């Protein structure tokens, strides 16, 4: 079943979901499953938002933006029967880091192999690595309690909040003192400093630290980046690596499966239907107005757009309380990354470890040492893209040949830093796009000679493009930075973390709500479940 | 001691894990790498090359071949068209299953039977006055299973077969780089897939050709551990695990009828006499004692048991086949789960179980035993129709 383009079939619904990204669709599918009449309105001609697959070059289907399905909640796959609707996720098997000196490190799902790899750099670190993994898994165990529930409000005395806080408290009490101290360190330290507590080899620490900065405008030495490391240990259901994977057919397959499930449950999904504004009657949401002027009524509207687009775009500043507006203005979006997508005519060959073996089937990290990472950040701090950026690369065609012609490959390169606010102003990004793409490819060519000559097609996405084409304000891939002060009961703003908004009958379900970005589906799921319990819809 | 299959010179070099098992007297790869998951995903996303040579194979031919097979099999083989394969089982005189397998019809008078256990003596004993010859070709014919969404593309590049005409459960002769092979549109994974039947003398060139042509389609040599997970998702039972051949049972209670192992649909009851017919007719009329069902184990309960002892939820990384008790909600044992696996695709904990027939309706909530931190518990397991995973491409 596919989404239809154009105009919705009816003039009123129980719920309208604005935005057909993966969270909007997750939310819609849950609401439809519960019997609500649901309409999803998507601006573009395809569903998916940033979780989209598009055939940009004949025969090559790209995961244009999101390239990895990270921590997608397994209960969503079960409850919405996404496998039946075509979703299959292939786990990432390894993380490979080539170094400029010709050495390389691959970390595998196989612990013995990983141990030998690390031992080549530091025998001590090789011993510590599984210990670290165990400790992180223990910490992650309780982080999971947090991501699968709406955040408790610590200032509230409502019984449900107290109960939930109590439950987290008792989980903490069940852990030992050392672990609690460590948890505090994790929450406050930088990724690099935290890893320094455990390991000596920078060859190991640098690629590990890199996961702490993805999508943030912070460096590996910036406080607060350590806790993101935890995300890598949350895939407990499927083991260490398996929660991170490729969707067969590209990341858009997640959205397509969600749309198919939503439609099967009775939801209507309409593409090419941009929403102009929320329809407010006496301060209460009564529907939406499309850009073509069509008005559609609903008891509740759920926005999956980021907080800026939801409130400044759909609602309009004049309808908002000034105090709320000033909180919202402080919500940090400031995109810091770009993307380069390549179609190539052969498997990229890394000098540090030639061949198309298992080592390049996972993700590939260009992160030679802390200094490199910090210098990359320095460029961004002063308003320029990194001349030598951090890159996270995947070659999905090695495990999912369905997305390219036989023997041809797709190389997906996540690039940081590419700050939205360049010195010249964000609107000048188009003039810098080629130079940015060249910086990426020149950097990579040093590790992968011949890559440039193998390119059949190239797409360079700057933060400006992410904003313009995918509706990500300031190009922020997570709808707002995943830094501590913007998480949990503070996401997107204090007091409005439970998917309700200050506007009556307007709810939010995008990555700008708890627990945040990544192709996780949790905001959409939790928003739907909270809304259903609320009695609003 | 086990012996090598014709592909051993290739598989033994590739099997860097040294994880082998015994399968029908042969060395068989469990997983080429220490970790079977990438192999599982090759089955579901690209193409898997699996050495299934240890299967027993018998060529049955002669003027009475169809009539003979109809007499020994639960299906009326006379109706099987040339170029078709059928899945079925066969029983002893008491209607108890001896084995399950396939029968292919190559020509009017030429058939091939595959089985999990040796069947030559039993087939020969039934031959009586039928004008048939039964030849054990198990050793002579090497077999590769090529499974996965890209399997057709590979064979299209590697063979001259008309693959669009080769439908689900079809079989055809073809040449592969000048070598005569047979291709059947069959498999044990529940995915798009083929089995390739080759004279053992040509086994290695065929392997090499498929690996070479398959490279562009990400072909991967795959062992039995990965196939075991996919067969559970597909809901396929396994002789010796999910039921036991009547020939090997010491006690009557271990034996099963086709109706009791989910193969009732393969029985063509109303026709000329066949082995086990009377007993099966009686059972059909009277109802069966047992039923084979799929179970989906409740994840939240499973997770809660682990949470209670402070552990993240765990599932075995490979398919399991040690039977565990299954109870009704009142606590009475009503059967056993015989094998199971965590499905990486469905994100569900699956099992195949034998339960009293009264508990076989889809949706029935049962309780299955699980052990968490050395303590035995029971979790809800809901009877679910199989196949658990049934992609459209399987039949496409």
């Amino acid at each position: 079943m596919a989404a239809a383009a154009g105009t919705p079939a009816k003039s009123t619904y129980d719920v309208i979901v604005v935005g057909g990204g993966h969270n909007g669709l997750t939310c819609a599918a849950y609401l439809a499953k519960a019997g609500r009449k649901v309409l999803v309105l998507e601006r573009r001609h395809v569903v998916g938002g940033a979780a989209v697959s598009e055939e940009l070059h004949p025969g090559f289907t790209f995961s244009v933006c999101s390239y990895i399905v990270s921590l997608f909640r397994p209960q969503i796959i079960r409850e919405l029967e996404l496998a039946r609707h075509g979703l299959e996720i292939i786990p990432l098997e390894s993380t490979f880091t080539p170094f400029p000196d010709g050495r390389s490190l691959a970390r595998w799902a196989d612990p013995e192999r990983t141990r030998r790899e690390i031992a080549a750099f530091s025998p001590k670190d090789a011993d510590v690595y599984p210990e670290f993994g165990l400790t992180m898994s223990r910490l992650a165990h309780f982080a999971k309690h947090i991501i699968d529930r709406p955040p408790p409000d610590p200032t509230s005395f409502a019984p449900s909040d107290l109960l939930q806080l109590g439950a987290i408290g008792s989980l903490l009490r069940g852990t030992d003192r050392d672990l609690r101290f460590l948890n505090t360190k994790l929450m406050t330290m930088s990724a690099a400093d935290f890893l320094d507590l455990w390991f000596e080899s920078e060859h190991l620490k640098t690629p590990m630290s890199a996961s702490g900065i993805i999508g943030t405008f912070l460096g590996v030495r910036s406080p607060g980046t350590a806790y993101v490391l935890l995300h890598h240990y949350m895939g407990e259901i499927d083991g260490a690596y398996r929660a991170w994977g490729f969707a067969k057919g590209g990341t858009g397959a997640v959205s397509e499966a969600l749309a198919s499930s939503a439609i099967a449950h009775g939801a209507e999904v309409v593409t090419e239907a941009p929403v102009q504004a929320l329809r407010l009657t006496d301060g209460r949401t009564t529907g939406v107005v499309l850009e073509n002027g069509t008005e559609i009524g609903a008891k509740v509207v759920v926005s999956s757009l980021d907080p800026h687009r939801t409130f400044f775009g759909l609602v309009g500043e004049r309808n908002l309380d000034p105090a709320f507006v000033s909180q919202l203005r402080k919500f940090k979006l400031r995109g810091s990354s770009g993307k380069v997508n390549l179609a190539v005519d052969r498997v990229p060959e890394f000098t540090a470890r030639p061949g198309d073996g298992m080592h390049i089937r996972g993700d590939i990290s260009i992160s030679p040492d802390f200094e490199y990472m910090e210098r990359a950040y320095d460029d961004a701090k002063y308003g320029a893209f990194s001349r030598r950026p951090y890159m996270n690369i995947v070659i999905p065609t090695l495990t999912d040949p369905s997305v390219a012609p036989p023997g041809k490959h797709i190389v997906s390169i996540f690039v940081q830093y590419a700050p939205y606010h360049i010195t010249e102003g964000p609107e000048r990004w188009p003039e810098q796009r080629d130079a940015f793409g060249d910086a990426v490819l020149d950097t990579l060519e040093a590790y992968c000679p011949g890559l440039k000559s193998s390119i059949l097609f190239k797409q360079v996405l700057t933060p400006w493009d992410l904003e313009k084409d995918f509706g990500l304000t300031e190009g922020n891939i997570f709808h707002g930075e995943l830094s501590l002060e913007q998480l949990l009961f503070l996401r997107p703003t204090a007091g409005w973390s439970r998917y309700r908004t200050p506007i009556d009958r307007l709810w939010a379900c995008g990555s700008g709500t708890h627990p945040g970005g990544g192709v996780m589906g949790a905001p959409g799921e939790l928003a739907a479940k909270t809304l259903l319990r609320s009695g609003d819809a | 001691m086990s012996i090598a299959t014709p592909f051993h010179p290739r598989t033994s070099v590739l099997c860097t894990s040294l994880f082998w098992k015994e399968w029908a007297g042969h060395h068989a790869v469990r997983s080429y790498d220490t970790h079977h998951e990438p192999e599982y995903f090759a089955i579901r996303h690209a193409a898997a090359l699996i050495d299934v040579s240890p299967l027993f194979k018998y060529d049955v031919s002669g003027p009475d071949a169809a009539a003979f097979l109809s007499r020994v099999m639960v299906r009326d083989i006379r109706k099987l068209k040339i170029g078709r394969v059928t899945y079925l089982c066969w029983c002893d005189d008491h209607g108890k299953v001896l084995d399950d397998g396939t029968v292919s019809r190559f020509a009017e008078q030429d058939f091939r039977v595959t089985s999990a256990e040796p069947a030559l003596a039993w087939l020969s004993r039934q031959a009586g006055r039928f004008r048939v010859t039964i030849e054990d070709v198990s050793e002579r014919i090497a077999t590769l299973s090529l499974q996965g969404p890209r399997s057709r593309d590979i064979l299209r590049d590697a063979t001259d077969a008309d693959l669009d005409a080769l439908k689900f459960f079809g079989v055809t002769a073809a040449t592969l780089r000048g070598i005569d092979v047979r291709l059947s549109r069959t498999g044990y994974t529940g995915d798009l897939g083929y089995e390739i039947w080759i004279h053992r003398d040509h086994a290695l060139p065929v392997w090499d050709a498929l690996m070479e042509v398959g490279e562009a389609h990400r072909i991967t040599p795959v062992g039995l551990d990965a196939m075991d997970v996919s067969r559970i998702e597909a809901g396929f039972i396994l002789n010796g695990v999910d039921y036991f051949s009547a020939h090997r049972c010491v006690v009557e209670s271990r034996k099963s009828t086709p109706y009791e192992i989910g193969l009732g649909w393969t029985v063509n009851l109303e026709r000329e006499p066949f082995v086990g017919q009377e007993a099966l007719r009686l059972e059909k009329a009277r109802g069966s004692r047992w039923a084979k069902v799929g179970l989906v184990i409740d994840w939240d309960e499973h997770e809660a048991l682990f949470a209670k002892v402070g552990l993240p939820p765990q599932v075995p990384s490979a398919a399991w086949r040690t039977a565990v008790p299954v109870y009704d909600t009142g606590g009475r044992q009503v059967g056993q789960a015989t094998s199971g696996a965590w499905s990486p695709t469905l994100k569900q904990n699956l099992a195949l179980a034998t339960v009293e027939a009264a508990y076989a309706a889809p949706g029935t909530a049962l309780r299955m035993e699980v052990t968490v931190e050395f303590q035995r518990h029971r979790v809800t397991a809901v009877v679910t129709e199989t196949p658990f995973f049934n992609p459209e491409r399987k039949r496409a």
Side-chain angles (χ1 to χ4, degrees), chain A residues 90-136:
Chain A
I90 317 167
L92 292 181
E93 292 301 332
S94 58
T95 295
F96 173 66
T97 314
F99 298 104
D101 62 5
R103 303 175 79 189
S104 64
L105 171 67
R107 289 176 289 140
W108 308 87
D110 173 354
E112 275 311 307
R113 192 182 287 181
T114 304
R115 210 176 71 79
R116 284 193 301 275
E117 295 254 6
I118 297 172
F121 295 95
S122 160
K124 284 186 212 153
D125 285 358
D127 287 359
V128 174
Y129 190 75
E131 230 177 275
F132 177 80
L134 184 66
T135 307
M136 294 299 273

Side-chain angles (χ1 to χ4, degrees), chain A residues 455-506:
Chain A
I455 295 172
L456 304 169
F457 169 83
K458 174 177 78 175
Q459 180 196 37
V460 179
L461 290 172
T462 70
W464 176 255
D465 301 316
L466 294 175
E467 177 175 74
K468 203 163 43 66
D469 297 342
F470 298 94
L472 298 166
T473 302
E474 297 191 17
N476 190 297
I477 59 172
F478 292 145
H479 282 196
E481 218 167 72
L482 295 182
S483 46
L484 266 180
E485 75 280 14
Q486 300 200 154
L487 287 174
L488 294 165
F489 47 86
L490 298 173
R491 191 169 187 89
T493 64
W496 299 106
S497 62
R498 291 278 193 92
Y499 313 103
R500 267 185 205 279
T501 72
I503 304 293
D504 191 16
R505 310 286 154 146
L506 173 67

